[in-house]
């Protein structure tokens, strides 16, 4: 890592928030029970997961061997057992929880619909039978390109029910992205909708699907189309079928297809990749166990909870904490179709009030956007039912964490800041809300059964209490990715080869503090080398956002002939964007502020003010785009997936 052994951390966050006694008193895991789980995993890592697998999952054929590492790092878990993911999510709840609401739905236009477990089971069976009528069988791939509506979950569960492998393509992706994923998966059926509602507009899903299919996709035999927006769309009567015409005619029962635990449950293509799509392949048994147990531990899940994970099912968070984890636990989930600011900035908080949401799990970008809109909006609504808050998707800066804590959590609710990835399948590092004190900006410590370390560039584990470097996972875990679809060599090279197949390499830089708490500093690619010092971009962003005039910031590196790299910051202010002399004055003020907060070496050489950052509809910041802008390069990236493509010209200083 350049000349210095460790990645340097310049964050000096010392605030510590202990779990509230009243929360601890009712928590699934208190400090003593959490310690017992960690001790059991330390004594027998494989046996720990085997015991959980037998206890938590419903097996048609129990497994004998928990872990097969004979072809490591292509690990297999519970391989000789048979089960079905849909049966685990639905069938086993029909007796005791059949009349319990499984899904509460609200569309952006304001329409609402509830489904009990019995009703959801019947609808899933109908969709499964429809797919079977198209000739879909075990092992076939089905691509789902839908809005955030209950039918998307039904489609996922229906695929799982018959042993088909689903691959969700996020509804914000372009037709070319959809085409690439259909072709890589070799999908037989595409499930889509006429459109979806987003930010007051119709998202033209069917139109994009038709464009994708017109460019290739020779394996697609049928397109199942949900009538959601009811606007007129093109229809190929030889290929396209309406959901209501075919699904409504099916029987509400369908026996589950029992599959090996290692049978692929889904493929999920990682976002933002260049070149050939990278289809992350997850298993059925191990993945489901990780989603289930993490739901229980991290969210302290109870029978009376209303769990709202705001992620779209097009992302791994929507798979694990909308479709599979909560339903396998028999929970009630909330699904919302649209944008958080339609018709106004109070929409999220009104939904939380109206549906009596108890657990709220969202992304730092959403938190910062809502924070920018002011404290008055959440204060208009009754959020007293909330008991737990969560953060996912990227490191959360301390300033946003504190706003979440004080304004939304009223200084009484635990915040679970979770670190995990598409590839890990489920949460890996997070506070346990009834047992682990939290620090603003830290995801704290690994979950039971998850073994992580910090290593240097040579792969040596850094034993110091205060260490910075690469984040790696040192032992296999059940919900880990199995391979990259059709390209195992790429799997080995991307995730394992850097340290000779010894560790799973997360691709994130991290700092572990003296208390053993982990601070994710961003992707290794986002680490700046400024005059020989390696700094995580997240820390500089946090320093900028701690200034009272700043709502959000993104930092990238720019080549510098003396320093190697200089710090280039894109800043979004609270209130109006400054111009001219006002902008120059604020830029100087912010440089001095960063210098005071974390040192002169982190001062941005360039600060550019904008109205917003380039974000996908999931809230991800397109950092590759920002790096190109900082370097003054011509923008060649596909910006069709951006929520706000018009912002690019402003960021480039052309508007």
């Amino acid at each position: 890592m350049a000349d210095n052994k460790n990645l340097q951390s310049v964050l000096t966050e010392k605030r510590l928030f202990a779990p509230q006694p009243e929360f601890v008193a009712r928590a699934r895991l208190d400090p003593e029970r959490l310690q017992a789980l960690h001790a059991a995993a330390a004594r027998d890592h494989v046996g720990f997961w085997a015991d959980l697998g037998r206890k938590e999952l419903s097996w048609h054929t129990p497994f004998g061997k928990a872990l097969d590492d004979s072809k490591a790092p292509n690990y297999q878990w519970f391989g000789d057992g048979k089960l079905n993911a849909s049966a685990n999510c639905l069938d086993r709840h029909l007796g005791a929880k059949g009349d319990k609401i499984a899904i509460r739905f609200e569309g952006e236009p304001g329409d609402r619909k509830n489904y009990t477990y019995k009703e959801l089971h019947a609808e899933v069976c109908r969709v499964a039978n429809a797919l079977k009528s198209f000739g879909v069988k075990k092992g076939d791939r089905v691509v789902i390109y839908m809005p955030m509506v209950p039918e998307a979950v039904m489609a996922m569960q229906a695929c799982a029910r018959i042993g088909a492998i689903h691959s969700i393509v996020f509804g914000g992706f372009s037709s070319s992205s959809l085409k690439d994923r259909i072709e890589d998966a070799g999908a037989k059926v595409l499930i889509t909708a006429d459109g979806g509602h987003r930010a007051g507009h119709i998202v033209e899903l069917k139109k994009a699907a038709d464009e994708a299919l017109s460019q290739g996709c020779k394996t697609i035999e049928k397109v199942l189309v949900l009538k959601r927006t009811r606007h007129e769309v093109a229809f190929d009567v030889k290929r396209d079928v309406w959901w209501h015409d075919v699904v409504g005619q099916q029987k509400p029962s369908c026996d589950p297809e029992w599959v090996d635990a290692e049978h692929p449950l889904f493929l999920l293509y990682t976002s933002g990749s260049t070149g050939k799509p990278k289809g992350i392949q997850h298993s059925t048994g191990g993945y489901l166990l990780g989603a289930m147990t993490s739901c229980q531990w991290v969210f302290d899940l109870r029978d009376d909870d209303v769990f709202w994970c705001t992620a779209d099912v097009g992302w791994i968070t929507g798979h694990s904490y909308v479709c599979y984890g909560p339903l396998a636990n028999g929970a009630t989930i909330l699904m919302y179709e649209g944008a958080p600011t339609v018709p106004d900035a109070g929409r999220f908080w009104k939904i939380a009030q109206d549906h009596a949401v108890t657990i709220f799990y969202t992304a730092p970008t959403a938190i910062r956007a809502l924070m920018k809109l002011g404290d008055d909006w959440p204060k208009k609504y009754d959020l007293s039912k909330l008991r737990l808050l969560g953060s996912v998707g990227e490191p959360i800066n301390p300033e946003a964490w504190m706003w979440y804590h004080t304004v939304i959590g009223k200084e009484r609710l635990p915040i679970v800041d979770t670190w995990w990835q598409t590839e890990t399948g489920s949460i890996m590092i997070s506070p346990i809300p009834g047992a682990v004190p939290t620090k603003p900006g830290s995801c704290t410590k690994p979950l039971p059964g998850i073994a992580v370390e910090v290593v240097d560039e040579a792969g040596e584990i850094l034993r110091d209490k205060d260490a910075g470097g690469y984040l790696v996972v040192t032992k296999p875990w059940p919900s880990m990715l199995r391979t990259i679809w059709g390209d195992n060599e790429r799997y080995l090279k991307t995730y394992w080869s850097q340290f000779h197949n010894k560790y799973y390499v997360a691709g994130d830089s991290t700092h572990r503090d003296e208390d053993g708490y982990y601070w994710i500093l961003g992707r290794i690619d986002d680490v700046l080398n400024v005059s020989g010092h390696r700094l995580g971009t997240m820390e500089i962003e946090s320093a900028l956002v701690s200034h009272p005039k700043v709502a959000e910031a993104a930092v990238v590196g720019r080549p510098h002939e003396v320093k190697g790299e200089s710090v280039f910051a894109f800043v979004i202010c609270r209130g109006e964007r400054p111009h001219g002399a006002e902008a120059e004055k604020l830029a100087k003020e912010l440089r001095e502020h960063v210098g005071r907060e974390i040192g002169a070496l982190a001062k941005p050489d360039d600060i550019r003010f904008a109205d917003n950052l380039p974000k996908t509809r999931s809230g991800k910041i397109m950092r590759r785009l920002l790096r190109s802008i900082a370097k003054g390069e011509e923008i060649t990236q596909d910006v069709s997936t951006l929520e706000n493509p018009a912002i690019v010209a402003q960021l480039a200083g052309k508007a």
Side-chain angles (χ1 to χ4, degrees), residues 266-280:
F266 64 85
L267 311 177
L268 188 55
Y269 289 85
T270 53
S271 59
S273 59
T274 56
K276 188 173 184 281
K278 188 167 64 175
I280 303 303

Side-chain angles (χ1 to χ4, degrees), residues 466-487:
D466 194 25
Y470 291 89
L471 179 64
V472 298
V473 188
T474 59
K475 293 180 181 178
W477 67 102
S479 67
M480 65 194 300
L481 79 163
R482 294 309 194 254
T483 186
I484 291 173
W485 178 256
D487 197 346

Side-chain angles (χ1 to χ4, degrees), residues 30-45:
D30 59 19
E32 189 176 328
R33 286 193 287 261
L34 177 60
Q35 188 177 6
L37 285 176
H38 279 299
R43 279 194 307 272
D44 181 359
H45 180 77

Side-chain angles (χ1 to χ4, degrees), residues 108 131 203 224 234 449 493:
E108 189 176 83
L131 291 174
V203 181
L224 181 60
K493 182 179 179 182

Side-chain angles (χ1 to χ4, degrees), residues 596-638:
R596 286 192 300 273
E597 289 287 306
I598 57 178
L601 64 95
K603 284 185 181 181
D605 286 49
D606 297 272
I607 294 179
R608 187 165 293 172
F609 296 102
D611 293 328
N612 213 324
L613 293 172
K615 296 177 185 176
T616 64
R617 271 178 39 200
S618 69
K620 289 274 189 183
I621 299 168
M622 281 186 72
R623 292 179 183 273
R624 286 186 295 112
L625 187 62
L626 293 179
R627 282 194 283 269
S628 294
I629 291 170
K631 293 174 184 175
E633 297 172 348
E634 199 64 36
I635 304 303
T636 57
Q637 291 105 313
D638 177 16

